[in-house]
Amino acid sequence: MIAQIQGRLIEKTPTEVIIDCHGVGYQINISLYTYSLIGADENLKLYTFLQIKDDAHTLFGFIDKVERELFKLLISVSGVGGNTARNILSSTVPKELLQMIANADAKSIQRIKGIGAKTAQRIILDLQEKVLKLYNIDEVLPTINNTNADEALSALEVLGFVRKTAEKVVDVILKANPEASVEDIIKQALKKL
């Protein structure tokens, strides 16, 4: 098994990189999350997972071990292959995905392109217990389960803000002041958005 590859970055696209390691060029499939964190530095180290099927050997690369472990968990779910797992990891950051799974947030998982209701439920059913055991629950960010937050988010959406961006801002506001009123949340969010 190839656990990691370190070498000179030859080529980079949003879906794959080619790394020259002592004269051998490895073509490695990556997620958009990993792509966004690869710098301009020529020297690159990726944690890898080699998926072997009857018709192909596919090498997947990850910027950190958490993303690789999430990938392994995802492909263990029936109906989720390597490309689907990569698509999931491209659509969200690992901490957010851990949060979705830990909190059984099927609706957020379903928003990922190519993931239907059954697959989202299967991911939660198969992985929730593993995620809660493997990762300290303190690492998983709490979801916004606050009526004031929900009302503020709805209002911000009506004003034309993207919900995902607004959720991050509202989360920061609520961490600073968990008892903030709807009006306060909206006022502070408008200043930050």
Side-chain angles (χ1 to χ4, degrees):
M1 183 60 76
I2 301 171
Q4 73 179 35
I5 291 182
Q6 184 168 355
R8 189 168 58 89
L9 179 64
I10 306 255
E11 192 177 314
K12 174 176 107 170
T13 69
T15 57
E16 67 184 30
V17 292
I18 297 177
I19 297 177
D20 177 15
C21 185
H22 303 291
V24 178
Y26 291 92
Q27 179 181 358
I28 305 169
N29 293 288
I30 59 171
S31 67
L32 288 174
Y33 172 74
T34 293
Y35 175 78
S36 69
L37 295 175
I38 294 175
D41 188 18
E42 276 195 0
N43 191 29
L44 178 64
K45 175 182 175 182
L46 291 179
Y47 297 97
T48 59
F49 178 81
L50 179 62
Q51 186 177 46
I52 300 173
K53 291 185 176 179
D54 292 337
D55 59 346
H57 289 53
T58 310
L59 193 58
F60 292 92
F62 312 93
I63 201 75
D64 57 40
K65 290 181 180 178
V66 173
E67 187 186 18
R68 180 178 64 183
E69 294 312 307
L70 267 172
F71 178 85
K72 288 180 185 178
L73 286 172
L74 287 168
I75 62 172
S76 73
V77 175
S78 175
V80 178
N83 285 327
T84 303
R86 179 174 66 162
N87 183 39
I88 293 169
L89 292 168
S90 291
S91 301
T92 183
V93 297
K95 283 217 177 214
E96 286 178 2
L97 182 59
L98 285 171
Q99 176 186 350
M100 289 177 211
I101 295 169
N103 294 312
D105 187 359
K107 287 183 181 176
S108 293
I109 295 173
Q110 276 180 250
R111 288 188 195 125
I112 298 169
K113 185 180 177 191
I115 304 298
K118 286 183 181 178
T119 305
Q121 287 296 336
R122 200 175 308 121
I123 288 170
I124 290 168
L125 185 67
D126 290 0
L127 302 183
Q128 187 176 31
E129 195 173 312
K130 291 176 186 175
V131 164
L132 292 173
K133 282 182 184 176
L134 286 173
Y135 298 94
N136 184 354
I137 196 63
D138 294 338
E139 287 182 26
V140 179
L141 301 170
T143 54
I144 300 171
N145 286 331
N146 179 324
T147 352
N148 290 349
D150 291 336
E151 288 179 33
L153 283 169
S154 296
L156 291 167
E157 269 188 301
V158 169
L159 292 171
F161 293 100
V162 177
R163 185 171 182 93
K164 207 166 199 140
T165 308
E167 281 176 351
K168 290 176 185 175
V169 172
V170 169
D171 192 35
V172 170
I173 293 166
L174 287 175
K175 280 183 183 173
N177 183 8
E179 299 302 317
S181 69
V182 176
E183 293 79 19
D184 289 340
I185 295 170
I186 294 170
K187 284 178 188 173
Q188 289 180 48
L190 288 172
K191 290 176 186 174
K192 296 180 181 187
L193 287 169

